[in-house]
Amino acid sequence: MFIAGLQKTSLLDFPSKIATIVFTQGCNFRCGYCHNPELLDFNFQKEPFINEDDFFSFLDKRKGKVDGVVITGGEPCLNNDLENFISKIKGKGFLVKLDTNGTYPDKIKALLEKNLLDYIAMDIKAPFEKYHKITGSLINQEILKKSINLIMNSNIKYEFRTTVLKSQLSFEDFEKIGDLIKGSKLYFLQKFEASKIYNEALMNEVTYSDEEFTEIINMLKEYVDNVYLR
């Protein structure tokens, strides 16, 4: 595993759990608002990768202090050793949450079938026809649909989520996203915050007002029962 960083403790990233966060190197998307730009390129790493044995030694010391591990990135599914890595975490008695962009449905399916995940969060970047504009990548829509269906039909807790810039997503776009995940259990809209981002040209961009978000959420509740703003 290309472990690029750790956050020892988080009370926010794994709902209702205390977690350690593992950041993996590499991503197949280039979203302008990405707040972990140093994790995108496999060839860019300011610090040495964290040795896997060192990580598991650290994790042993966290027993009784944290409930689980959040694996995020980058895109964790780019790592060929992901399944084995998660198996080791589960073997130590920790829960596992995976953050993914949904472009590796076969890996998601394998992890679900082997009961290696306790929670999964998938980013829905936009309506499918806008994905290339936001991610800077050409993505097969059927792959994303497969991941959405796998997650919605799994027996674990899950969420979908979208980072929102006003210039990128219209009210109509949210309606299309709602239709993509219709019947899902939980959806979060995430306010864009200009801080450390991949495309600095977006630093002056804004998101919707709270009043506008309320209107968007009320519309989305026609598709998803539980919609919240982060």
Side-chain angles (χ1 to χ4, degrees), residues 102-168:
T103 51
Y104 291 86
D106 291 343
K107 289 190 177 182
I108 292 171
K109 182 179 180 181
L111 293 171
L112 290 170
E113 287 179 344
K114 295 176 182 179
N115 298 313
L116 291 175
L117 299 178
D118 302 283
Y119 197 110
I120 187 166
M122 176 178 166
D123 292 320
I124 306 292
K125 303 294 184 178
F128 288 154
E129 65 268 22
K130 278 192 172 182
Y131 251 72
H132 67 287
K133 294 180 180 179
I134 292 177
T135 68
S137 306
L138 294 175
I139 301 297
N140 184 333
Q141 295 182 13
E142 295 306 313
I143 288 176
L144 296 174
K145 287 179 183 177
K146 186 175 181 181
S147 290
I148 290 170
N149 288 333
L150 281 168
I151 292 168
M152 286 180 60
N153 290 296
S154 70
N155 60 358
I156 65 170
K157 294 181 179 180
Y158 67 84
E159 68 183 57
F160 296 109
R161 58 200 189 180
T162 301
T163 298
V164 182
L165 276 74
K166 193 170 185 177
S167 63
Q168 291 183 346

Side-chain angles (χ1 to χ4, degrees), residues 69-83:
V69 176
V70 176
I71 304 175
T72 190
E75 172 49 53
C77 290
L78 283 170
N79 286 267
N80 292 328
D81 198 37
L82 180 63
E83 184 177 313

Side-chain angles (χ1 to χ4, degrees), residues 21-57:
I21 305 177
V22 173
F23 296 91
T24 65
Q25 190 76 24
C27 188
N28 53 335
F29 283 173
R30 292 296 182 270
C31 304
Y33 52 68
C34 178
H35 62 277
N36 290 326
E38 70 280 3
L39 300 178
L40 299 182
D41 193 337
F42 273 111
N43 296 318
F44 177 81
Q45 174 66 8
K46 289 183 178 179
E47 303 294 334
F49 290 116
I50 295 170
N51 181 277
E52 210 171 293
D53 290 338
D54 290 342
F55 166 71
F56 283 111
S57 294

Side-chain angles (χ1 to χ4, degrees), residues 205-220:
E205 291 284 331
V206 297
T207 191
Y208 287 95
S209 67
D210 287 345
E211 291 77 14
E212 289 170 320
F213 269 119
T214 297
E215 188 175 347
I216 293 167
I217 287 170
N218 288 336
M219 179 269 292
L220 283 166

